[in-house]
Amino acid sequence: MTKQRCSWCDMNSPEYIDYHDNHWGVPVYDDRLLFEMLVLEGMQAGLSWLSILKKRENFIQAFDNFEIAVVALYGEKKVAELLVDVGIIRNKLKINSVITNAKVFLEIAEEFESFSKYLWAWVGNNPLQHEYSDRQEIPAKTELSEKISKDLKKRGMSFVGPTIIYAYMQAIGMVNDHDPGCYRREQVAALAGPAQ
Protein backbone atom coordinates (compact mmCIF):
# COMPACT_ATOMS: atom_id res chain seq x y z
CA MET A 1 0.00 0.00 0.00
CA THR A 2 1.35 3.42 -1.00
CA LYS A 3 1.83 5.87 1.86
CA GLN A 4 -0.24 9.01 1.58
CA ARG A 5 2.01 12.04 1.50
CA CYS A 6 1.48 15.81 1.31
CA SER A 7 0.06 16.87 -2.03
CA TRP A 8 3.09 19.12 -2.73
CA CYS A 9 5.47 16.15 -2.59
CA ASP A 10 6.43 15.18 -6.16
CA MET A 11 6.22 11.39 -6.14
CA ASN A 12 8.52 11.22 -9.18
CA SER A 13 11.35 12.94 -7.33
CA PRO A 14 13.51 10.90 -4.92
CA GLU A 15 14.88 14.20 -3.51
CA TYR A 16 11.39 15.45 -2.71
CA ILE A 17 10.27 12.15 -1.18
CA ASP A 18 13.38 11.98 1.03
CA TYR A 19 12.99 15.61 2.09
CA HIS A 20 9.29 15.15 2.86
CA ASP A 21 9.70 11.85 4.71
CA ASN A 22 12.79 12.64 6.76
CA HIS A 23 13.22 16.39 7.14
CA TRP A 24 10.23 18.64 6.45
CA GLY A 25 8.37 19.56 9.60
CA VAL A 26 10.81 17.86 11.97
CA PRO A 27 11.71 20.29 14.80
CA VAL A 28 15.20 21.76 14.35
CA TYR A 29 17.11 23.30 17.29
CA ASP A 30 20.66 23.35 15.92
CA ASP A 31 21.79 26.88 15.00
CA ARG A 32 23.93 25.77 12.05
CA LEU A 33 21.04 23.87 10.49
CA LEU A 34 18.63 26.71 11.28
CA PHE A 35 20.96 29.05 9.42
CA GLU A 36 21.28 26.65 6.47
CA MET A 37 17.51 26.37 6.16
CA LEU A 38 17.06 30.14 6.42
CA VAL A 39 19.56 30.60 3.58
CA LEU A 40 17.92 27.94 1.42
CA GLU A 41 14.43 29.38 1.96
CA GLY A 42 15.74 32.83 0.96
CA MET A 43 17.50 31.39 -2.08
CA GLN A 44 14.27 29.69 -3.13
CA ALA A 45 12.37 32.98 -3.48
CA GLY A 46 10.91 32.99 -7.00
CA LEU A 47 12.18 29.48 -7.76
CA SER A 48 11.00 25.92 -7.15
CA TRP A 49 11.98 24.17 -3.92
CA LEU A 50 13.09 21.15 -5.96
CA SER A 51 15.71 23.26 -7.75
CA ILE A 52 17.10 24.23 -4.32
CA LEU A 53 17.01 20.64 -3.01
CA LYS A 54 18.97 19.44 -6.03
CA LYS A 55 21.63 22.08 -5.35
CA ARG A 56 21.68 21.65 -1.56
CA GLU A 57 25.00 19.79 -1.41
CA ASN A 58 26.53 22.43 -3.70
CA PHE A 59 25.27 25.18 -1.37
CA ILE A 60 26.77 23.40 1.65
CA GLN A 61 30.14 23.18 -0.09
CA ALA A 62 30.07 26.73 -1.51
CA PHE A 63 29.08 28.29 1.83
CA ASP A 64 31.65 26.47 4.00
CA ASN A 65 29.12 24.03 5.49
CA PHE A 66 27.06 27.07 6.55
CA GLU A 67 29.46 27.81 9.40
CA ILE A 68 27.82 31.07 10.45
CA ALA A 69 30.93 32.80 11.80
CA VAL A 70 32.84 31.98 8.60
CA VAL A 71 30.03 33.20 6.29
CA ALA A 72 29.70 36.44 8.29
CA LEU A 73 33.32 37.30 7.36
CA TYR A 74 32.96 36.79 3.60
CA GLY A 75 34.41 39.67 1.59
CA GLU A 76 34.28 40.79 -2.05
CA LYS A 77 36.66 38.03 -3.21
CA LYS A 78 34.39 35.29 -1.84
CA VAL A 79 31.29 36.97 -3.30
CA ALA A 80 33.02 37.05 -6.71
CA GLU A 81 33.75 33.31 -6.38
CA LEU A 82 30.15 32.54 -5.47
CA LEU A 83 28.83 34.56 -8.41
CA VAL A 84 30.60 32.24 -10.87
CA ASP A 85 29.70 29.00 -9.04
CA VAL A 86 27.29 27.20 -11.39
CA GLY A 87 26.28 24.80 -8.60
CA ILE A 88 24.32 27.44 -6.66
CA ILE A 89 21.90 30.30 -7.32
CA ARG A 90 24.11 33.10 -8.66
CA ASN A 91 22.10 36.09 -7.55
CA LYS A 92 24.19 38.93 -6.10
CA LEU A 93 21.39 40.30 -3.92
CA LYS A 94 20.73 36.88 -2.42
CA ILE A 95 24.42 36.12 -1.89
CA ASN A 96 25.03 39.46 -0.17
CA SER A 97 21.92 38.84 1.90
CA VAL A 98 23.36 35.53 3.17
CA ILE A 99 26.44 37.36 4.49
CA THR A 100 24.43 40.15 6.14
CA ASN A 101 21.99 37.63 7.59
CA ALA A 102 24.88 35.61 9.04
CA LYS A 103 26.07 38.70 10.92
CA VAL A 104 22.57 39.43 12.26
CA PHE A 105 22.10 35.73 13.08
CA LEU A 106 25.22 35.86 15.28
CA GLU A 107 24.02 39.04 17.00
CA ILE A 108 20.67 37.39 17.79
CA ALA A 109 22.44 34.24 19.01
CA GLU A 110 24.57 36.34 21.34
CA GLU A 111 21.57 38.23 22.70
CA PHE A 112 19.42 35.13 23.31
CA GLU A 113 22.17 32.51 23.98
CA SER A 114 21.31 30.90 20.64
CA PHE A 115 19.29 31.72 17.55
CA SER A 116 17.23 28.63 18.34
CA LYS A 117 16.12 30.09 21.70
CA TYR A 118 15.14 33.35 19.99
CA LEU A 119 13.17 31.56 17.29
CA TRP A 120 11.40 28.93 19.38
CA ALA A 121 10.29 31.52 21.95
CA TRP A 122 7.86 32.81 19.30
CA VAL A 123 5.85 29.57 19.64
CA GLY A 124 6.32 29.10 23.38
CA ASN A 125 9.02 26.49 22.70
CA ASN A 126 6.47 24.01 21.31
CA PRO A 127 5.60 23.34 17.65
CA LEU A 128 2.17 24.60 16.64
CA GLN A 129 -0.21 21.79 15.71
CA HIS A 130 -2.64 23.28 13.21
CA GLU A 131 -5.88 21.45 12.59
CA TYR A 132 -6.76 21.81 8.92
CA SER A 133 -9.39 19.65 7.29
CA ASP A 134 -8.03 20.36 3.83
CA ARG A 135 -4.67 21.26 2.27
CA GLN A 136 -6.23 24.38 0.74
CA GLU A 137 -6.72 25.83 4.23
CA ILE A 138 -2.97 25.92 4.93
CA PRO A 139 -1.91 29.57 4.53
CA ALA A 140 1.13 30.98 2.72
CA LYS A 141 1.77 33.31 5.66
CA THR A 142 0.30 33.99 9.08
CA GLU A 143 0.11 36.81 11.58
CA LEU A 144 2.97 35.16 13.47
CA SER A 145 5.20 34.83 10.40
CA GLU A 146 4.55 38.53 9.74
CA LYS A 147 5.66 39.41 13.28
CA ILE A 148 8.85 37.31 13.04
CA SER A 149 9.57 38.72 9.57
CA LYS A 150 9.14 42.27 10.83
CA ASP A 151 11.46 41.65 13.78
CA LEU A 152 14.16 40.05 11.63
CA LYS A 153 13.97 42.88 9.10
CA LYS A 154 14.20 45.43 11.91
CA ARG A 155 17.38 43.68 13.05
CA GLY A 156 18.83 43.97 9.54
CA MET A 157 18.02 40.72 7.74
CA SER A 158 16.72 40.52 4.17
CA PHE A 159 14.93 37.85 2.12
CA VAL A 160 12.91 37.13 5.25
CA GLY A 161 9.44 38.25 4.14
CA PRO A 162 6.40 36.72 5.88
CA THR A 163 5.86 34.08 3.16
CA ILE A 164 9.52 32.98 3.27
CA ILE A 165 9.39 32.91 7.07
CA TYR A 166 6.24 30.80 7.10
CA ALA A 167 7.81 28.30 4.68
CA TYR A 168 10.83 28.32 7.01
CA MET A 169 8.63 27.69 10.07
CA GLN A 170 7.02 24.74 8.27
CA ALA A 171 10.37 23.31 7.18
CA ILE A 172 12.01 23.48 10.62
CA GLY A 173 8.99 22.13 12.46
CA MET A 174 7.79 25.26 14.25
CA VAL A 175 4.42 24.37 12.74
CA ASN A 176 3.16 20.96 11.72
CA ASP A 177 1.56 21.61 8.34
CA HIS A 178 1.66 18.10 6.91
CA ASP A 179 -1.56 17.54 4.96
CA PRO A 180 -4.51 16.03 6.78
CA GLY A 181 -4.17 12.36 5.87
CA CYS A 182 -0.40 12.52 5.29
CA TYR A 183 1.25 9.61 7.10
CA ARG A 184 3.94 11.93 8.51
CA ARG A 185 1.45 14.26 10.21
CA GLU A 186 0.98 12.15 13.34
CA GLN A 187 4.62 11.03 13.39
CA VAL A 188 5.82 14.65 13.39
CA ALA A 189 3.23 15.60 16.03
CA ALA A 190 4.66 12.83 18.25
CA LEU A 191 8.11 14.47 17.99
CA ALA A 192 6.75 17.74 19.34
CA GLY A 193 7.93 18.66 22.78
CA PRO A 194 9.53 21.61 24.54
CA ALA A 195 12.45 23.08 22.60
CA GLN A 196 15.82 21.85 23.76
Side-chain angles (χ1 to χ4, degrees), residues 16-179:
Y16 244 167
I17 293 169
D18 174 65
Y19 179 65
H20 172 274
D21 290 4
N22 301 304
H23 305 282
W24 195 76
V26 175
V28 174
Y29 305 105
D30 174 70
D31 270 14
R32 195 213 60 79
L33 186 52
L34 287 171
F35 178 64
E36 176 182 338
M37 292 307 297
L38 188 65
V39 170
L40 295 180
E41 290 292 352
M43 284 285 176
Q44 192 248 332
L47 304 166
S48 78
W49 182 244
L50 185 57
S51 66
I52 300 298
L53 275 185
K54 286 183 172 179
K55 293 175 182 283
R56 188 172 185 176
E57 289 305 316
N58 298 339
F59 275 111
I60 290 169
Q61 198 171 350
F63 285 93
D64 293 287
N65 197 38
F66 290 107
E67 292 299 335
I68 311 151
V70 174
V71 175
L73 294 175
Y74 283 178
E76 286 178 24
K77 186 177 176 224
K78 179 65 178 183
V79 171
E81 282 175 24
L82 291 168
L83 284 170
V84 294
D85 188 334
V86 294
I88 64 167
I89 305 300
R90 294 174 293 167
N91 177 305
K92 194 169 186 179
L93 280 176
K94 288 181 178 180
I95 289 169
N96 283 327
S97 164
V98 172
I99 301 164
T100 303
N101 288 359
K103 292 172 183 168
V104 177
F105 194 104
L106 290 174
E107 288 167 6
I108 293 171
E110 190 174 341
E111 184 181 342
F112 291 87
E113 293 180 36
S114 69
F115 186 82
S116 178
K117 283 189 176 177
Y118 158 82
L119 199 59
W120 281 93
W122 288 96
V123 290
N125 297 314
N126 270 299
L128 301 175
Q129 304 295 323
H130 290 154
E131 291 300 327
Y132 297 115
S133 56
D134 186 86
R135 174 79 198 159
Q136 306 308 317
E137 293 177 21
I138 299 174
K141 62 181 178 179
T142 62
E143 195 176 319
L144 180 56
S145 76
E146 290 189 10
K147 284 180 185 172
I148 297 172
S149 167
K150 190 176 178 182
D151 192 63
L152 290 173
K153 285 179 180 174
K154 190 177 77 180
R155 292 169 181 274
M157 282 196 181
S158 57
F159 285 95
V160 288
T163 303
I164 289 174
I165 290 300
Y166 195 65
Y168 179 58
M169 291 168 69
Q170 292 172 315
I172 62 166
M174 284 177 76
V175 291
N176 180 4
D177 274 354
H178 277 279
D179 284 7

